[in-house]
PDB file of all heavy atoms in Angstrom:
ATOM      1  N   GLN A   1       0.751  -1.185  -0.057  1.00 98.00           N
ATOM      2  CA  GLN A   1      -0.062  -0.040   0.006  1.00 98.00           C
ATOM      3  C   GLN A   1       0.814   1.280  -0.047  1.00 98.00           C
ATOM      4  O   GLN A   1       0.524   2.274  -0.647  1.00 98.00           O
ATOM      5  CB  GLN A   1      -0.915   0.060   1.198  1.00 98.00           C
ATOM      6  CG  GLN A   1      -1.886   1.223   1.312  1.00 98.00           C
ATOM      7  CD  GLN A   1      -2.907   1.215   0.213  1.00 98.00           C
ATOM      8  OE1 GLN A   1      -3.269   0.128  -0.300  1.00 98.00           O
ATOM      9  NE2 GLN A   1      -3.482   2.369  -0.086  1.00 98.00           N
ATOM     10  N   LEU A   2       1.928   1.247   0.629  1.00 98.00           N
ATOM     11  CA  LEU A   2       2.854   2.441   0.740  1.00 98.00           C
ATOM     12  C   LEU A   2       4.113   2.358  -0.102  1.00 98.00           C
ATOM     13  O   LEU A   2       5.067   3.150   0.082  1.00 98.00           O
ATOM     14  CB  LEU A   2       3.216   2.706   2.234  1.00 98.00           C
ATOM     15  CG  LEU A   2       2.026   2.938   3.165  1.00 98.00           C
ATOM     16  CD1 LEU A   2       2.601   3.122   4.583  1.00 98.00           C
ATOM     17  CD2 LEU A   2       1.279   4.171   2.732  1.00 98.00           C
ATOM     18  N   ASN A   3       4.088   1.341  -1.030  1.00 98.00           N
ATOM     19  CA  ASN A   3       5.290   1.262  -1.828  1.00 98.00           C
ATOM     20  C   ASN A   3       5.247   2.173  -3.049  1.00 98.00           C
ATOM     21  O   ASN A   3       4.548   1.848  -3.985  1.00 98.00           O
ATOM     22  CB  ASN A   3       5.508  -0.286  -2.316  1.00 98.00           C
ATOM     23  CG  ASN A   3       6.782  -0.555  -2.952  1.00 98.00           C
ATOM     24  OD1 ASN A   3       7.530   0.313  -3.431  1.00 98.00           O
ATOM     25  ND2 ASN A   3       7.049  -1.842  -3.041  1.00 98.00           N
ATOM     26  N   ASP A   4       6.042   3.210  -2.969  1.00 97.00           N
ATOM     27  CA  ASP A   4       5.984   4.140  -4.202  1.00 97.00           C
ATOM     28  C   ASP A   4       6.752   3.728  -5.314  1.00 97.00           C
ATOM     29  O   ASP A   4       6.847   4.495  -6.287  1.00 97.00           O
ATOM     30  CB  ASP A   4       6.426   5.606  -3.636  1.00 97.00           C
ATOM     31  CG  ASP A   4       7.845   5.504  -3.109  1.00 97.00           C
ATOM     32  OD1 ASP A   4       8.516   4.485  -3.249  1.00 97.00           O
ATOM     33  OD2 ASP A   4       8.254   6.613  -2.479  1.00 97.00           O
ATOM     34  N   ARG A   5       7.342   2.575  -5.322  1.00 97.00           N
ATOM     35  CA  ARG A   5       8.066   2.010  -6.476  1.00 97.00           C
ATOM     36  C   ARG A   5       7.254   1.321  -7.503  1.00 97.00           C
ATOM     37  O   ARG A   5       7.666   0.892  -8.479  1.00 97.00           O
ATOM     38  CB  ARG A   5       9.213   1.188  -5.976  1.00 97.00           C
ATOM     39  CG  ARG A   5      10.284   1.832  -5.220  1.00 97.00           C
ATOM     40  CD  ARG A   5      11.398   0.889  -4.887  1.00 97.00           C
ATOM     41  NE  ARG A   5      12.046   0.416  -6.118  1.00 97.00           N
ATOM     42  CZ  ARG A   5      12.794  -0.710  -6.144  1.00 97.00           C
ATOM     43  NH1 ARG A   5      12.937  -1.466  -5.061  1.00 97.00           N
ATOM     44  NH2 ARG A   5      13.385  -0.987  -7.269  1.00 97.00           N
ATOM     45  N   ILE A   6       5.950   1.092  -7.041  1.00 98.00           N
ATOM     46  CA  ILE A   6       5.029   0.477  -7.986  1.00 98.00           C
ATOM     47  C   ILE A   6       3.868   1.472  -8.253  1.00 98.00           C
ATOM     48  O   ILE A   6       3.604   2.421  -7.549  1.00 98.00           O
ATOM     49  CB  ILE A   6       4.440  -0.792  -7.473  1.00 98.00           C
ATOM     50  CG1 ILE A   6       3.476  -0.578  -6.294  1.00 98.00           C
ATOM     51  CG2 ILE A   6       5.419  -1.753  -7.015  1.00 98.00           C
ATOM     52  CD1 ILE A   6       2.703  -1.842  -5.672  1.00 98.00           C
ATOM     53  N   PRO A   7       3.149   1.249  -9.348  1.00 98.00           N
ATOM     54  CA  PRO A   7       2.106   2.238  -9.833  1.00 98.00           C
ATOM     55  C   PRO A   7       0.981   2.456  -8.667  1.00 98.00           C
ATOM     56  O   PRO A   7       0.724   1.477  -7.937  1.00 98.00           O
ATOM     57  CB  PRO A   7       1.428   1.646 -11.076  1.00 98.00           C
ATOM     58  CG  PRO A   7       2.604   0.823 -11.622  1.00 98.00           C
ATOM     59  CD  PRO A   7       3.288   0.309 -10.429  1.00 98.00           C
ATOM     60  N   ALA A   8       0.551   3.638  -8.519  1.00 98.00           N
ATOM     61  CA  ALA A   8      -0.387   3.990  -7.345  1.00 98.00           C
ATOM     62  C   ALA A   8      -1.559   3.090  -7.533  1.00 98.00           C
ATOM     63  O   ALA A   8      -2.230   2.759  -6.553  1.00 98.00           O
ATOM     64  CB  ALA A   8      -0.678   5.418  -7.443  1.00 98.00           C
ATOM     65  N   THR A   9      -2.033   2.876  -8.726  1.00 98.00           N
ATOM     66  CA  THR A   9      -3.346   2.125  -8.975  1.00 98.00           C
ATOM     67  C   THR A   9      -3.200   0.653  -8.492  1.00 98.00           C
ATOM     68  O   THR A   9      -4.219  -0.025  -8.403  1.00 98.00           O
ATOM     69  CB  THR A   9      -3.805   2.229 -10.381  1.00 98.00           C
ATOM     70  OG1 THR A   9      -2.761   1.747 -11.223  1.00 98.00           O
ATOM     71  CG2 THR A   9      -4.121   3.579 -10.750  1.00 98.00           C
ATOM     72  N   LEU A  10      -1.979   0.215  -8.340  1.00 98.00           N
ATOM     73  CA  LEU A  10      -1.744  -1.240  -8.052  1.00 98.00           C
ATOM     74  C   LEU A  10      -1.520  -1.415  -6.589  1.00 98.00           C
ATOM     75  O   LEU A  10      -1.556  -2.581  -6.105  1.00 98.00           O
ATOM     76  CB  LEU A  10      -0.620  -1.777  -8.816  1.00 98.00           C
ATOM     77  CG  LEU A  10      -0.724  -1.878 -10.401  1.00 98.00           C
ATOM     78  CD1 LEU A  10       0.425  -2.531 -11.035  1.00 98.00           C
ATOM     79  CD2 LEU A  10      -2.100  -2.321 -10.882  1.00 98.00           C
ATOM     80  N   ARG A  11      -1.237  -0.347  -5.858  1.00 98.00           N
ATOM     81  CA  ARG A  11      -0.797  -0.590  -4.518  1.00 98.00           C
ATOM     82  C   ARG A  11      -1.896  -1.255  -3.599  1.00 98.00           C
ATOM     83  O   ARG A  11      -3.046  -0.828  -3.677  1.00 98.00           O
ATOM     84  CB  ARG A  11      -0.409   0.748  -3.882  1.00 98.00           C
ATOM     85  CG  ARG A  11       0.827   1.294  -4.601  1.00 98.00           C
ATOM     86  CD  ARG A  11       1.184   2.749  -4.139  1.00 98.00           C
ATOM     87  NE  ARG A  11       2.118   3.439  -5.013  1.00 98.00           N
ATOM     88  CZ  ARG A  11       2.436   4.635  -5.084  1.00 98.00           C
ATOM     89  NH1 ARG A  11       1.831   5.558  -4.177  1.00 98.00           N
ATOM     90  NH2 ARG A  11       3.287   5.133  -5.946  1.00 98.00           N
ATOM     91  N   GLY A  12      -1.514  -2.211  -2.773  1.00 98.00           N
ATOM     92  CA  GLY A  12      -2.431  -2.792  -1.854  1.00 98.00           C
ATOM     93  C   GLY A  12      -3.320  -3.903  -2.505  1.00 98.00           C
ATOM     94  O   GLY A  12      -4.361  -4.282  -1.957  1.00 98.00           O
ATOM     95  N   THR A  13      -2.939  -4.338  -3.699  1.00 98.00           N
ATOM     96  CA  THR A  13      -3.809  -5.306  -4.481  1.00 98.00           C
ATOM     97  C   THR A  13      -3.044  -6.539  -4.828  1.00 98.00           C
ATOM     98  O   THR A  13      -1.815  -6.669  -4.751  1.00 98.00           O
ATOM     99  CB  THR A  13      -4.354  -4.625  -5.744  1.00 98.00           C
ATOM    100  OG1 THR A  13      -3.241  -4.391  -6.576  1.00 98.00           O
ATOM    101  CG2 THR A  13      -5.020  -3.309  -5.397  1.00 98.00           C
ATOM    102  N   PHE A  14      -3.808  -7.482  -5.434  1.00 98.00           N
ATOM    103  CA  PHE A  14      -3.206  -8.708  -5.915  1.00 98.00           C
ATOM    104  C   PHE A  14      -2.255  -8.312  -7.085  1.00 98.00           C
ATOM    105  O   PHE A  14      -1.005  -8.851  -7.076  1.00 98.00           O
ATOM    106  CB  PHE A  14      -4.254  -9.624  -6.537  1.00 98.00           C
ATOM    107  CG  PHE A  14      -5.189 -10.218  -5.526  1.00 98.00           C
ATOM    108  CD1 PHE A  14      -6.549 -10.130  -5.721  1.00 98.00           C
ATOM    109  CD2 PHE A  14      -4.767 -10.798  -4.316  1.00 98.00           C
ATOM    110  CE1 PHE A  14      -7.471 -10.624  -4.847  1.00 98.00           C
ATOM    111  CE2 PHE A  14      -5.733 -11.260  -3.453  1.00 98.00           C
ATOM    112  CZ  PHE A  14      -7.086 -11.184  -3.672  1.00 98.00           C
ATOM    113  N   ALA A  15      -2.542  -7.435  -7.899  1.00 98.00           N
ATOM    114  CA  ALA A  15      -1.755  -6.983  -8.942  1.00 98.00           C
ATOM    115  C   ALA A  15      -0.474  -6.189  -8.404  1.00 98.00           C
ATOM    116  O   ALA A  15       0.591  -6.276  -9.058  1.00 98.00           O
ATOM    117  CB  ALA A  15      -2.513  -6.055  -9.857  1.00 98.00           C
ATOM    118  N   GLY A  16      -0.669  -5.613  -7.292  1.00 98.00           N
ATOM    119  CA  GLY A  16       0.441  -4.862  -6.648  1.00 98.00           C
ATOM    120  C   GLY A  16       1.542  -5.872  -6.202  1.00 98.00           C
ATOM    121  O   GLY A  16       2.749  -5.625  -6.428  1.00 98.00           O
ATOM    122  N   LEU A  17       1.111  -6.994  -5.586  1.00 98.00           N
ATOM    123  CA  LEU A  17       2.049  -7.949  -5.167  1.00 98.00           C
ATOM    124  C   LEU A  17       2.811  -8.619  -6.326  1.00 98.00           C
ATOM    125  O   LEU A  17       3.873  -8.973  -6.278  1.00 98.00           O
ATOM    126  CB  LEU A  17       1.391  -9.036  -4.227  1.00 98.00           C
ATOM    127  CG  LEU A  17       2.274 -10.147  -3.642  1.00 98.00           C
ATOM    128  CD1 LEU A  17       3.349  -9.631  -2.868  1.00 98.00           C
ATOM    129  CD2 LEU A  17       1.416 -11.102  -2.962  1.00 98.00           C
ATOM    130  N   ALA A  18       1.991  -8.739  -7.436  1.00 98.00           N
ATOM    131  CA  ALA A  18       2.626  -9.382  -8.667  1.00 98.00           C
ATOM    132  C   ALA A  18       3.502  -8.417  -9.385  1.00 98.00           C
ATOM    133  O   ALA A  18       4.094  -8.912 -10.331  1.00 98.00           O
ATOM    134  CB  ALA A  18       1.501  -9.867  -9.536  1.00 98.00           C
ATOM    135  N   ASP A  19       3.549  -7.194  -9.096  1.00 98.00           N
ATOM    136  CA  ASP A  19       4.485  -6.214  -9.746  1.00 98.00           C
ATOM    137  C   ASP A  19       5.893  -6.713  -9.705  1.00 98.00           C
ATOM    138  O   ASP A  19       6.344  -7.238  -8.650  1.00 98.00           O
ATOM    139  CB  ASP A  19       4.329  -4.822  -9.135  1.00 98.00           C
ATOM    140  CG  ASP A  19       5.110  -3.822  -9.918  1.00 98.00           C
ATOM    141  OD1 ASP A  19       4.487  -3.191 -10.793  1.00 98.00           O
ATOM    142  OD2 ASP A  19       6.248  -3.563  -9.659  1.00 98.00           O
ATOM    143  N   PRO A  20       6.612  -6.590 -10.784  1.00 98.00           N
ATOM    144  CA  PRO A  20       7.944  -7.127 -10.859  1.00 98.00           C
ATOM    145  C   PRO A  20       8.934  -6.570  -9.747  1.00 98.00           C
ATOM    146  O   PRO A  20       9.758  -7.312  -9.288  1.00 98.00           O
ATOM    147  CB  PRO A  20       8.516  -6.635 -12.239  1.00 98.00           C
ATOM    148  CG  PRO A  20       7.262  -6.408 -13.038  1.00 98.00           C
ATOM    149  CD  PRO A  20       6.206  -6.012 -12.096  1.00 98.00           C
ATOM    150  N   VAL A  21       8.556  -5.438  -9.211  1.00 98.00           N
ATOM    151  CA  VAL A  21       9.359  -4.774  -8.123  1.00 98.00           C
ATOM    152  C   VAL A  21       9.308  -5.664  -6.865  1.00 98.00           C
ATOM    153  O   VAL A  21      10.297  -5.988  -6.269  1.00 98.00           O
ATOM    154  CB  VAL A  21       9.008  -3.308  -7.824  1.00 98.00           C
ATOM    155  CG1 VAL A  21       9.564  -2.905  -6.505  1.00 98.00           C
ATOM    156  CG2 VAL A  21       9.441  -2.400  -8.942  1.00 98.00           C
ATOM    157  N   ASN A  22       7.999  -6.093  -6.610  1.00 98.00           N
ATOM    158  CA  ASN A  22       7.772  -6.841  -5.356  1.00 98.00           C
ATOM    159  C   ASN A  22       8.216  -8.323  -5.484  1.00 98.00           C
ATOM    160  O   ASN A  22       8.706  -8.934  -4.583  1.00 98.00           O
ATOM    161  CB  ASN A  22       6.300  -6.715  -5.075  1.00 98.00           C
ATOM    162  CG  ASN A  22       5.919  -5.456  -4.393  1.00 98.00           C
ATOM    163  OD1 ASN A  22       6.699  -4.827  -3.644  1.00 98.00           O
ATOM    164  ND2 ASN A  22       4.714  -5.032  -4.579  1.00 98.00           N
ATOM    165  N   VAL A  23       7.973  -8.798  -6.693  1.00 98.00           N
ATOM    166  CA  VAL A  23       8.463 -10.234  -6.973  1.00 98.00           C
ATOM    167  C   VAL A  23       9.937 -10.254  -6.849  1.00 98.00           C
ATOM    168  O   VAL A  23      10.477 -11.201  -6.245  1.00 98.00           O
ATOM    169  CB  VAL A  23       7.987 -10.708  -8.368  1.00 98.00           C
ATOM    170  CG1 VAL A  23       8.591 -12.102  -8.607  1.00 98.00           C
ATOM    171  CG2 VAL A  23       6.441 -10.753  -8.389  1.00 98.00           C
ATOM    172  N   ALA A  24      10.655  -9.333  -7.404  1.00 98.00           N
ATOM    173  CA  ALA A  24      12.138  -9.242  -7.266  1.00 98.00           C
ATOM    174  C   ALA A  24      12.545  -9.174  -5.845  1.00 98.00           C
ATOM    175  O   ALA A  24      13.564  -9.764  -5.398  1.00 98.00           O
ATOM    176  CB  ALA A  24      12.694  -8.133  -8.148  1.00 98.00           C
ATOM    177  N   TYR A  25      11.793  -8.366  -5.054  1.00 98.00           N
ATOM    178  CA  TYR A  25      12.181  -8.180  -3.678  1.00 98.00           C
ATOM    179  C   TYR A  25      12.111  -9.602  -2.901  1.00 98.00           C
ATOM    180  O   TYR A  25      12.959  -9.990  -2.116  1.00 98.00           O
ATOM    181  CB  TYR A  25      11.243  -7.203  -2.974  1.00 98.00           C
ATOM    182  CG  TYR A  25      11.406  -7.065  -1.468  1.00 98.00           C
ATOM    183  CD1 TYR A  25      12.361  -6.167  -1.041  1.00 98.00           C
ATOM    184  CD2 TYR A  25      10.733  -7.801  -0.598  1.00 98.00           C
ATOM    185  CE1 TYR A  25      12.666  -6.052   0.457  1.00 98.00           C
ATOM    186  CE2 TYR A  25      10.885  -7.580   0.760  1.00 98.00           C
ATOM    187  CZ  TYR A  25      11.845  -6.786   1.241  1.00 98.00           C
ATOM    188  OH  TYR A  25      12.066  -6.638   2.655  1.00 98.00           O
TER     189      TYR A  25
END
């Protein structure tokens, strides 16, 4: 939800966790 490295529309969602930034983390 507060990760400004991923698009704002994806934060806090299933798609947000699937973002390459989070998967790489």
Side-chain angles (χ1 to χ4, degrees):
Q1 182 68 26
L2 298 180
N3 191 342
D4 58 9
R5 297 184 62 201
I6 68 173
T9 55
L10 302 184
R11 296 172 194 167
T13 68
F14 297 131
L17 181 57
D19 186 90
V21 168
N22 284 328
V23 175
Y25 177 86

